Amino acid sequence: MQNSDPFDELLKRHRPMVWRMCWISAHGNYERCRDLVQEVSIALWRHFGQLRPDPTLPAERAWGRW
């Protein structure tokens, strides 16, 4: 069995939330939404080691808001 990358697991688990947030920000424009999802993924990857949970948000969503 292969070990999973924590970042990949985080993205897989929260893909629907990321897509919804980007869809809303893109005002329903599919191509813009895809671009935003990619931008969010890259930004999270770059700062993954610095992510800190926000105690005011449910733990499952805190990283995305950050």
Side-chain angles (χ1 to χ4, degrees), residues 16-65:
M17 178 193 65
V18 171
W19 184 264
R20 279 190 307 274
M21 288 171 53
C22 292
W23 184 257
I24 291 166
S25 294
H27 304 285
N29 181 301
Y30 180 76
E31 292 300 322
R32 180 63 184 140
C33 181
R34 285 181 38 178
D35 290 345
L36 287 172
V37 169
Q38 184 175 9
E39 290 174 25
V40 167
S41 299
I42 291 168
L44 288 170
W45 178 75
R46 285 184 178 159
H47 301 285
F48 185 64
Q50 301 168 0
L51 293 179
R52 300 291 181 259
D54 181 340
T56 65
L57 294 172
E60 288 294 302
R61 294 182 14 195
W63 70 272
R65 291 289 189 184

